[in-house]
């Protein structure tokens, strides 16, 4: 049994060829052993799905908050762990939280290599998942090419992630004017709950959403019309962002916080609105 980039298990035969689905029972198989093996594989598949969802979300959160692991924690969790090492090998790490001067990946044999695929030593550095906004375009493209050469698919958008850079005219501003006018849907708004956004309830329904950013700033946006608490209204009802604001001036937001705030607001945009734009 092996695992793909999403930690979904799959089987290989004696010739190291991938088996599509669980093998059928053969005449010479032990019926009880076959049933036990199939039950175990099914159980492991369900458990792996649950673990993958949690750990993938955790890695994305580590990237956005620049949470760090000690060298020992990092090795135990993402280098030698029989399951999580499959995730660890598919992301780009940094040994300098907050910048991208020292980025590396975990090679198949558990050693570490830089973007030129040269071996590197970590020592006892603090480790985190590098955010792509901290890399210049050339380095980001080089990492994408290297992972592609090794046929490594990332478990969540890291190198392919959309990034947003603060514009000069936004200095001194609290309002995120580029988000005003975005059309969204009930489903998209509810999906933001997974990213930490919380709705404010009033008599009319939900009109304002807010989230505490890692730096401590409060991001919020308002929509019209109000989102009904009971799911009533037209199935394809459109909601429009009328205000988007940060409690900190935009130039005070760290690059990652600013980029992720804009990413959330852009991901609220409904597909139909994007197609009609």
């Amino acid at each position: 049994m092996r695992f793909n980039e999403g930690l979904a298990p799959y089987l290989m035969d004696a010739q190291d060829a991938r088996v599509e689905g669980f093998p059928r029972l053969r005449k010479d198989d032990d019926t009880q052993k076959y049933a036990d093996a199939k039950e175990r594989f099914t159980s492991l598949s369900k458990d792996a799905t649950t673990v993958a969802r949690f750990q993938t979300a955790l890695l994305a959160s580590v990237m956005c908050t620049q949470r760090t692991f000690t060298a020992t924690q990092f090795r135990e969790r993402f280098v030698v762990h029989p399951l999580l090492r499959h995730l660890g090998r598919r992301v780009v790490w940094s040994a300098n939280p907050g910048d991208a001067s020292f980025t590396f990946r975990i090679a198949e044999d558990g050693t570490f290599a830089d973007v030129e695929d040269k071996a590197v030593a970590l020592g006892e550095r603090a480790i985190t998942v590098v955010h792509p906004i901290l890399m210049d375009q050339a380095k980001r493209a080089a990492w994408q090419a290297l992972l592609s050469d090794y046929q490594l698919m990332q478990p969540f958008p890291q190198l392919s992630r959309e990034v947003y850079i603060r514009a000069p005219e936004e200095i001194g501003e609290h309002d995120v004017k580029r988000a005003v006018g975005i059309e969204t849907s009930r489903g998209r708004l509810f999906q933001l709950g997974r990213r930490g956004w919380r709705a404010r309830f009033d008599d009319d329904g939900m009109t304002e959403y807010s989230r505490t950013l890692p730096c401590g700033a409060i991001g919020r946006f308002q929509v019209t019309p109000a989102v009904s608490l009971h799911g009533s209204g037209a199935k394809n009802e459109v909601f429009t962002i009328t205000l988007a604001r940060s409690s900190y001036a935009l130039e005070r937001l760290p690059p990652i916080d600013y980029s992720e705030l804009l990413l959330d607001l852009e991901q609220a945009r409904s597909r139909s609105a994007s197609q009609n734009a």
Side-chain angles (χ1 to χ4, degrees):
M1 185 172 69
R2 295 180 184 172
F3 297 89
N4 66 13
E5 69 279 358
L7 292 190
Y10 60 91
L11 299 173
M12 308 292 289
D13 63 19
Q15 288 71 46
D16 205 33
R18 184 164 178 168
V19 177
E20 296 300 330
F22 197 84
R24 293 182 179 181
L25 179 67
R26 298 177 301 185
K27 291 182 179 180
D28 57 344
D29 283 336
D30 182 300
T31 304
Q32 186 58 52
K33 287 184 177 180
Y34 176 87
D36 291 344
K38 186 173 183 179
E39 181 181 359
R40 185 185 182 199
F41 180 75
T42 301
S43 177
L44 284 171
S45 296
K46 292 179 179 179
D47 290 346
T49 298
T50 301
V51 171
R53 186 181 299 113
F54 176 80
Q55 292 294 336
T56 299
L58 174 62
L59 278 176
S61 175
V62 166
M63 178 185 70
C64 293
T65 62
Q66 292 294 275
R67 168 188 165 185
T68 61
F69 300 97
T70 65
T72 298
Q73 291 171 334
F74 169 69
R75 288 182 172 86
E76 289 178 347
R77 178 172 294 189
F78 298 108
V79 181
V80 300
H81 192 282
L83 182 61
L84 298 186
R85 66 186 183 191
H86 296 282
L87 288 180
R89 288 200 295 260
R90 296 175 183 274
V91 299
V92 178
W93 301 86
S94 173
N96 285 315
D99 66 51
S101 58
F102 186 167
T103 54
F104 66 95
R105 70 179 183 91
I106 305 170
E108 186 74 20
D109 61 359
T111 59
F112 311 112
D114 63 15
V115 70
E116 297 178 349
D117 217 14
K118 296 179 180 178
V120 295
L122 300 184
E124 295 302 316
R125 298 170 182 261
I127 309 298
T128 191
V129 180
V130 67
H131 193 287
I133 200 168
L134 302 177
M135 292 187 280
D136 59 40
Q137 290 185 353
K139 191 168 190 177
R140 188 173 173 183
W143 270 119
Q144 287 177 309
L146 184 63
L147 266 58
S148 177
D149 288 343
Y150 283 100
Q151 298 182 331
L152 294 173
M153 294 180 61
Q154 297 205 286
F156 65 92
Q158 182 192 17
L159 298 174
S160 63
R161 199 176 196 83
E162 290 287 338
V163 296
Y164 298 86
I165 299 174
R166 184 180 54 249
E169 59 269 22
E170 291 180 310
I171 294 177
E173 295 284 345
H174 287 259
D175 291 330
V176 187
K177 296 179 180 178
R178 67 171 87 182
V180 174
I182 287 178
E183 294 183 344
T184 185
S185 65
R186 180 185 302 273
R188 292 276 171 155
L189 291 172
F190 286 169
Q191 286 174 11
L192 287 177
R194 300 174 184 174
R195 297 271 292 167
W197 290 89
R198 296 292 178 262
R200 189 184 73 182
F201 302 89
D202 54 35
D203 293 339
D204 296 326
M206 297 174 286
T207 58
E208 182 170 304
Y209 297 78
S210 64
R211 175 192 172 199
T212 301
L213 305 179
C215 67
I218 305 296
R220 65 185 181 92
F221 67 91
Q222 296 176 350
V223 298
T224 188
V227 182
S228 171
L229 300 178
H230 306 293
S232 59
K235 180 179 180 180
N236 297 319
E237 188 173 7
V238 174
F239 305 91
T240 303
I241 294 179
T242 57
L243 172 73
R245 187 173 176 83
S246 164
S247 61
Y248 290 4
L250 298 182
E251 72 271 15
R252 287 187 58 199
L253 297 180
I256 295 176
D257 287 18
Y258 176 88
S259 184
E260 291 297 313
L261 174 61
L262 266 292
L263 179 63
D264 285 353
L265 294 171
E266 277 298 325
Q267 289 188 338
R269 190 187 299 272
S270 65
R271 292 180 180 178
S272 58
S274 300
Q275 293 170 352
N276 295 332

